[in-house]
Amino acid sequence: ALSVATPALAQNVYGHIARTHALTAADDFKLGQGLVRNYAWMHGTLQSPEQQTRVEGLMRRVIGASDRPDLVFDVTLVDDESVNAAAFPGGFMIVTRGALEGMTDDQLAFVMAHEISHVLLRHNNSRSNLDEAMHGLDAVTQARSDEDRERAQQAYDEVRKMVAGYQRKHEFEADLYGLLYAVRAGIDPQAGIQTMEGLRTTVGEIPSWYADYASHPTFADRIAELKKGMTTIEETAARFDAGVSMLESGREDQAAAAFQEYLTLFPHSS
């Protein structure tokens, strides 16, 4: 599907993004909006005010505890039985019916925190195959306009791999920051491990859609790193809180040392 030439009109929607050296906020918005619209078109949206309220409440908790509490995400509930949630550039997120029905609030909050971390850390923007992903999204859009769901699904699967096929280090980083934000939000950190164990049982060590990415970590590896991270986060969170107390009492040098210890583990944190 990626090799199929697309009309000039479709190319103008996403093709120009592939030719830029850095994504602008407008590019982020177009990319995220395009991914969500096409996913929702293929699976249908889930109309549930109760679940929408649930998800948006968890979203506010997680974002409020993140390093960008000013962010706003537009959440779309998708009528898809697979257990999945994904955040996209530009402030968009999808949560599937499978995730809503199969996860507790704490587990869902951890997954959302993980996905938000990918966006905050701009992991999408470091993908070397962004050019192919943008042309692939053009192919999805064209198939959608032709009402060709099979071709749209094939093209979308390729785009999903390229846009969300994060490198090993990115997955570990998003797990760690997601856990940090969850802990800050008062969410049980064990929920992260429970989520990984559940997904491991459901889809195997590596999800099928990541089969072509040898660098993608197994759930066993991610669970092991999360267990290490839980202890480290508790220790560094204590140092951060101590730094705040020191700063409030006028002990600037000691506070700076405490904050530096915290930033050694979380260099992208504020």
Side-chain angles (χ1 to χ4, degrees):
L2 298 181
S3 65
V4 178
T6 54
L9 180 60
Q11 289 285 354
N12 287 338
V13 176
Y14 300 106
H16 78 282
I17 298 179
R19 295 190 293 273
T20 62
H21 295 291
L23 294 186
T24 66
D27 291 334
D28 278 348
F29 185 87
K30 289 178 182 177
L31 174 59
Q33 185 183 60
L35 288 166
V36 170
R37 282 181 173 176
N38 283 296
Y39 194 99
W41 175 75
M42 287 185 289
H43 296 279
T45 57
L46 180 65
Q47 303 302 319
S48 172
E50 181 180 356
Q51 291 286 18
Q52 191 77 36
T53 299
R54 175 195 179 198
V55 169
E56 291 179 357
L58 293 174
M59 173 73 73
R60 285 193 294 272
R61 283 181 63 186
V62 170
I63 291 179
S66 77
D67 292 304
R68 286 288 308 279
D70 59 317
L71 284 181
V72 176
F73 274 82
D74 181 70
V75 185
T76 299
L77 306 186
V78 182
D79 193 12
D80 181 358
E81 65 182 8
S82 66
V83 180
N84 189 28
F88 300 110
F92 296 92
M93 175 175 281
I94 61 102
V95 180
T96 65
R97 173 169 51 82
L100 294 170
E101 295 175 350
M103 291 184 173
T104 66
D105 283 357
D106 280 358
Q107 290 171 344
L108 185 57
F110 170 78
V111 171
M112 294 167 70
H114 169 95
E115 292 299 326
I116 290 169
S117 295
H118 277 310
V119 174
L120 293 184
L121 297 168
R122 297 186 70 77
H123 288 162
N124 289 103
N125 300 69
S126 65
R127 297 294 298 162
S128 61
N129 54 6
L130 180 62
D131 183 83
E132 290 182 81
M134 294 304 94
H135 289 298
L137 194 51
D138 281 330
V140 177
T141 303
Q142 181 58 51
R144 176 183 173 185
S145 68
D146 294 339
E147 291 292 326
D148 189 337
R149 290 184 177 274
E150 182 177 357
R151 182 158 56 93
Q153 185 67 60
Q154 291 174 345
Y156 187 87
D157 287 345
E158 291 301 315
V159 174
R160 181 183 179 187
K161 287 181 180 180
M162 286 181 255
V163 175
Y166 302 110
Q167 298 176 14
R168 182 182 182 88
K169 64 179 181 180
H170 290 158
E171 286 296 346
F172 286 140
E173 190 173 48
D175 282 345
L176 191 60
Y177 274 83
L179 185 62
L180 172 67
Y181 300 154
V183 170
R184 284 182 181 175
I187 293 163
D188 182 3
Q190 288 290 341
I193 294 174
Q194 293 167 357
T195 300
M196 294 294 180
E197 290 174 340
L199 289 172
R200 182 184 183 187
T201 300
T202 303
V203 302
E205 282 292 358
I206 297 180
S208 59
W209 52 89
Y210 289 139
D212 296 335
Y213 288 89
S215 65
H216 197 278
T218 65
F219 281 119
D221 289 340
R222 293 173 68 183
I223 290 169
E225 290 300 312
L226 274 178
K227 288 180 177 178
K228 294 177 186 176
M230 284 175 59
T231 300
T232 308
I233 285 174
E234 291 174 357
E235 294 174 351
T236 53
R239 295 303 297 153
F240 184 85
D241 292 339
V244 172
S245 297
M246 293 171 186
L247 191 62
E248 291 174 344
S249 62
R251 294 175 289 165
E252 288 86 358
D253 290 344
Q254 291 175 291
F259 289 142
Q260 186 57 51
E261 289 181 24
Y262 174 80
L263 290 172
T264 298
L265 179 63
F266 297 102
H268 305 295
S269 183
S270 59

